[in-house]
Amino acid sequence: MNKIVLGLFMAAYLLYACGGKEEKTAEETSIETAENDWISLFDGETFEGWSKYGGGDVGAAWKIQDGSIYLDASNKDGWQTGDGGDIVTNQEFDNFHFQVEWKIAKDGNSGIMFFVHESPEFAYPWMTGPEMQVLDNDGHPDAKIRTHRAGDLYDLIESSEETVRPVGEWNLAEIIAENGNLELYLNGVMVVSTTMWTQEWEDMVANSKFKDMPGFGKFQKGKIALQDHGDEVWFRNIRIKKL
């Protein structure tokens, strides 16, 4: 038996002796570790980890439908549903990478807010938390305003390009916040990039509809909120990674 054949025989024997398992490469191990870093914020079956903004259980207008959080807007009360209201995570986050898939009904409006400070002095999440807009750009009147379209940092920065999908299709939204650096992604494309809590940030807020809200965009740790704007909207595959 020559040396090459002997070498192959020994390699096969060792693989058999070890149960036939191959060692993972460094890249495979890194990918697996990265996936394990994600924290699920929605189990697809319950509202565990979520509550109504201001306290109490999630309103009855929010339902679980086919593994997603769904806002049933059939009982509307102004721009919110009669028994809905905005919902927030029970946990607060500072540096994070947040992901969620959303789809909106025709002519619908909603939003994803972050760094939300839940306190009796602030009646709504948007009084403290900046918002990544969720919107039917083709049907909702808010789409006529730049910085109010899907993917925009609402009323502050418009998307660098529009990557939103048609009504009824799922969109992947991502918010990455780390040490003041903020990036918003919609369907894999970075559409907003800015730095929070700088003089430029303060000036931008001062020129927005939030100028008279002393708590807006100030908090460096807070909750994630899903908005009840009185329109049907769905959210699924909600997860976060602490950075």
Side-chain angles (χ1 to χ4, degrees), residues 77-136:
D77 179 16
W79 58 272
Q80 290 198 335
T81 57
D83 52 359
D86 302 323
I87 62 175
V88 292
T89 56
N90 293 339
Q91 294 186 64
E92 292 187 330
F93 305 95
D94 44 23
N95 296 320
F96 60 84
H97 182 173
F98 173 79
Q99 289 184 343
V100 61
E101 289 182 274
W102 63 262
K103 67 177 179 178
I104 192 76
K106 188 178 185 305
D107 303 334
N109 188 340
S110 184
I112 305 157
M113 287 159 276
F114 51 98
F115 291 132
V116 170
H117 181 70
E118 190 172 22
S119 169
E121 64 185 298
F122 303 115
Y124 299 100
W126 43 262
M127 298 181 79
T128 58
E131 175 186 347
M132 186 176 186
Q133 176 73 307
V134 170
L135 197 78
D136 170 15

Side-chain angles (χ1 to χ4, degrees), residues 7 14 19 31 59 81 89 97 110 113 116 142 155 157 165 167 173 199:
L14 289 172
I31 291 172
T81 57
T89 56
H97 182 173
S110 184
M113 287 159 276
V116 170
D142 221 23
D155 210 60
I157 302 176
R165 292 172 181 154
V167 163
Q199 187 58 53

